[in-house]
Amino acid sequence: MPATAMGPVIGRLSDRVNAKYLVLSGLLGMAPGLALFAVRTLRDAPAWRCVPGLLVCGLGMGLALVPLNNTALRTVPPGLRGTASDGHLPRLVRQYLLPRVLGSGHTQSS
């Protein structure tokens, strides 16, 4: 969700700043998120404790993936950009719906 919310802002920023710096900072930004996720989600921790780490990871992903997509689509001829960017919709559907569908039948046992 943070990656989606940051998309327009990072997209405009990637037009002005070299994409490699944004991608590098995004990947480096994911590292503390993963560390926070690992530290805060111990065996008997409640589920809400994973949220801060996931938010930081989402911000890092947005910072890394948006410039990559922007750079990739910039190399495609203008007449084919719609076709080239169409592959993102199925990925987004899988990314957002699949965990919810698979997790809907999961119940936490005491």
Side-chain angles (χ1 to χ4, degrees), residues 28-50:
L28 291 174
M30 285 180 62
L34 291 172
L36 185 62
F37 181 74
V39 169
R40 292 186 51 97
T41 56
L42 300 173
R43 183 179 179 147
D44 294 329
W48 63 267
R49 290 189 66 181
C50 70

Side-chain angles (χ1 to χ4, degrees), residues 49-66:
R49 290 189 66 181
C50 70
V51 172
L54 292 175
L55 287 174
V56 173
C57 282
L59 293 173
M61 284 180 64
L63 200 54
L65 295 179
V66 171

Side-chain angles (χ1 to χ4, degrees), residues 81-103:
R81 285 188 184 154
T83 305
S85 66
D86 192 33
H88 298 297
L89 182 61
R91 179 183 52 84
L92 289 173
V93 170
R94 285 192 311 268
Q95 179 181 352
Y96 290 111
L97 291 181
L98 192 60
R100 284 148 184 87
V101 170
L102 293 177

